[in-house]
Amino acid sequence: MPYEPPTHSVERSLRATTGAKIVAGVDEVGRGAWAGPVSVCAAVTGLRRPPDGLTDSKLLTPKRRTELCDVLGDWVTSYALGHSSPEEIDALGMTAALRLAAVRALEALPVRPDAVILDGKHDYLGAPWRVRTVIKGDQSCIAVAAASVIAKVRRDAMMAELGLRYADFDFAANAGYPSPTHRIALEEYGPTPHHRVSWSYMDALPRWRHLKKVRVTAEASALEAGGQLGFDF
């Protein structure tokens, strides 16, 4: 399906209205997974023309994402990744875990950004960062699209490597997200140390329900209502 390529319009607006010189695009991956970290990429691109075909990682094939990621590594001015572990997600809740991962990414950049373009409508980053949220920013903003591709490819690679140790869970294929194979492995073997055991999918595992960490947050309830936490195939 044809799509409009991303632009620098939001970044130009931020530069004009706030005086920001360094603007980072930020995107996350792994929010709805049962296993693995939630990962955030912060990318600074300047105002150069992007590589052909750059867009939201979800619109690209795995092969094309990997090809673009290889190109982006040299094309971006700078980028950094931050992660929050399953243990941190269980302890803090998703919103706080996202902020922790995003701060880790932003603080790992060689130069602190003056402003941040954050994908989505919810500012989970907050002060002291100057944030502009953009719905579907991973499709419309070049820096956010670059962050989207890098975050997705790098986290997928992490999960594929983890899958070598837990072959029955097929992490290379599902990246820790819900899938029939993932569900069957959970029923048979229970959660690994890399699973988010405060989530409601644990309620559907009678043999392993005693391992669930009880922590109910508004964020978890919202995800559950959206079908992202239970067995919704």
Side-chain angles (χ1 to χ4, degrees):
M1 179 181 295
Y3 53 83
E4 291 293 323
T7 69
H8 289 299
S9 61
V10 176
E11 184 171 341
R12 292 182 188 278
S13 172
L14 275 170
R15 287 169 176 252
T17 58
T18 70
K21 295 182 179 179
I22 300 174
V23 179
V26 170
D27 198 16
E28 57 79 23
V29 64
R31 187 194 299 242
W34 288 343
V38 62
S39 301
V40 173
C41 181
V44 178
T45 65
L47 298 176
R48 290 171 297 151
R49 178 177 177 176
D52 290 340
L54 179 63
T55 187
D56 172 14
S57 64
K58 295 186 292 296
L59 300 178
L60 301 169
T61 65
K63 181 176 183 294
R64 184 58 181 144
R65 277 198 301 264
T66 300
E67 292 171 347
L68 266 176
C69 187
D70 290 341
V71 173
L72 288 169
D74 294 324
W75 176 81
V76 298
T77 303
S78 61
Y79 76 91
L81 288 154
H83 311 280
S84 285
S85 68
E87 293 84 0
E88 289 170 328
I89 294 168
D90 285 334
L92 301 174
M94 182 53 73
T95 298
L98 274 171
R99 185 177 193 278
L100 182 61
V103 169
R104 285 169 173 165
L106 288 164
E107 291 185 342
L109 290 170
V111 180
R112 183 183 177 94
D114 301 310
V116 174
I117 305 172
L118 190 62
D119 181 52
K121 64 180 180 180
H122 174 57
D123 177 10
Y124 57 76
L125 192 55
W129 303 94
R130 179 183 290 166
V131 176
R132 174 79 60 86
T133 58
V134 179
I135 295 173
K136 294 187 178 180
D138 47 9
Q139 294 183 36
S140 61
C141 302
I142 288 172
V144 180
S148 168
V149 171
I150 295 170
K152 174 64 175 170
V153 171
R154 294 301 179 85
R155 185 182 182 277
D156 281 359
M158 291 171 58
M159 295 306 296
E161 184 175 352
L162 188 62
L164 298 176
R165 296 162 54 191
Y166 301 96
D168 292 295
F169 290 85
D170 201 19
F171 288 147
N174 60 49
Y177 283 83
S179 75
T181 301
H182 195 168
R183 177 190 61 186
I184 292 168
L186 277 167
E187 291 172 345
E188 180 67 23
Y189 304 107
T192 72
H194 305 279
H195 278 86
R196 306 168 186 182
V197 291
S198 63
W199 288 34
S200 68
Y201 70 81
M202 293 290 294
D203 294 331
L205 304 172
R207 291 174 57 194
W208 312 104
R209 196 177 297 150
H210 64 285
L211 299 176
K212 182 180 180 181
K213 291 184 179 179
V214 179
R215 188 182 189 282
V216 178
T217 66
E219 177 75 11
S221 298
L223 280 172
E224 184 171 5
Q228 294 186 50
L229 299 186
F231 293 128
D232 186 15
F233 297 110

